[in-house]
């Protein structure tokens, strides 16, 4: 899929960090390299830094992580490829951009599959959730844990969105994922995939009319400065993912693997606390800033238009089983 041999310059670039292989770390040569599209201080970056602290304590400084935050290593799609090649050891990305590589990951990105944040957390922590992390391994990534990403909602520069009719003709930036494109098309909007670091400019220049994201990203990215109508569509509650390159993993000792896996799992409740606080804080600050929060969204009408999206992406018995078990975990939520 990735034309490594066909592009020697790219290959050289990707191999360079590999020369500083993970094995060298045993001599204290270098920390594990991680990337995140968000800047320092964002909850996902803090979460990976928490893993670094845990590793530092538990291995007496033998294992450390250096996080390259703020898209320094490129947009999410690029960092996923680089990590698969072993040019980065670790990535924190959203599940959406993994959809085209790991088909199982689509189950948690299906619109309106989760009934509540509690439901989504139950699934992240379940065997079904674990099976999606495990499904990454044949594709060059070993999923270590999920982090919260809350609920994604639509925002735009043009008008309050309450019903699918209000979406007609809006140019909405989406992540690099066919599900998001299909979702926006089903709503009559024009889906435009744009890398996250470029969305602010795209909004300013009117290349897109809007985007969709959770409260902390809407705030952190400063999209709220331009797109003032935030409508609580809460259409996707898919998680963030923290994963290690299988190439780096293969070079680690069993002991190092255990330290890394355990520290990742232990960072999840730490992140959850930071996340909940950030969601409340972002919402409060943005309301104080005067954004137009649209709460009376007809989410039933939005959900009722998602049939074609589900039909297109839930096509195998394995996907059907996964979807059924995810839905079953939401029955308690009514
Ligand atoms: C955020 C997510 C990022 C990135 C971004 C996007 O919620 O944390 O990793 O995927 O959305 O929309 O591109």
């Amino acid at each position: 899929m990735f034309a490594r041999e066909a592009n020697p310059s790219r290959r050289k670039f990707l191999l360079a960090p590999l020369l500083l292989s993970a094995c060298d770390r045993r001599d204290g040569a270098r920390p594990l390299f991680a990337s995140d599209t968000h800047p320092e201080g964002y909850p996902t970056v803090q979460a990976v830094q928490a893993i670094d602290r845990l590793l530092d304590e538990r291995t007496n400084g033998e294992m450390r992580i250096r996080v390259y935050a703020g898209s320094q290593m490129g947009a999410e799609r690029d960092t996923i490829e680089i990590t698969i090649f072993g040019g980065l050891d670790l990535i924190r990305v959203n599940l959406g951009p993994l959809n085209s590589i790991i088909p199982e990951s689509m189950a948690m990105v299906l619109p309106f599959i989760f009934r509540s944040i509690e439901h989504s957390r139950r699934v992240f922590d379940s065997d079904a959730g674990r099976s999606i992390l495990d499904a990454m391994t044949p594709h060059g990534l070993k999923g270590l844990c999920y982090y919260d990403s809350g609920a994604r909602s639509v925002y735009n520069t043009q008008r309050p969105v309450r019903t699918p009719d209000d979406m007609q003709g809006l140019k909405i930036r989406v992540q690099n994922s066919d599900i998001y494109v299909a979702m926006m098309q089903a709503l009559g909007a024009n889906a435009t995939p744009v890398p996250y670091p470029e969305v602010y400019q795209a909004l300013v220049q009117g290349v897109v009319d809007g985007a969709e994201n959770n409260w902390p990203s809407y705030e952190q990215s400063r999209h709220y400065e331009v797109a003032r109508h935030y409508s609580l569509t809460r259409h996707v509650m898919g998680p963030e993912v923290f994963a290690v390159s299988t190439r780096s993993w293969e070079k680690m000792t069993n002991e190092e693997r255990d330290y890394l896996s355990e520290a990742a799992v232990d960072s999840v409740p730490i992140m959850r606390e930071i996340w909940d606080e950030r969601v409340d804080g972002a919402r409060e600050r943005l309301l104080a800033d005067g954004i137009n929060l649209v709460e009376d969204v007809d989410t039933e009408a939005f959900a009722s238009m998602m049939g074609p999206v589900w039909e297109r992406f839930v096509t195998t018995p394995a996907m059907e089983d996964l979807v059924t078990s995810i839905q079953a975990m939401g029955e308690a939520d009514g």
Side-chain angles (χ1 to χ4, degrees), residues 36-38 42 44 76 92-94 97 149 152 173 175 196 212-214 217 240:
D36 196 310
T37 196
H38 291 297
Y42 193 84
T44 52
E76 289 196 336
R92 195 295 309 161
V93 286
N94 191 256
S149 193
R152 296 177 79 99
R173 175 272 170 172
Q175 289 179 318
Y196 191 55
E212 45 81 52
N213 225 313
N214 52 47
S217 288
E240 312 287 357

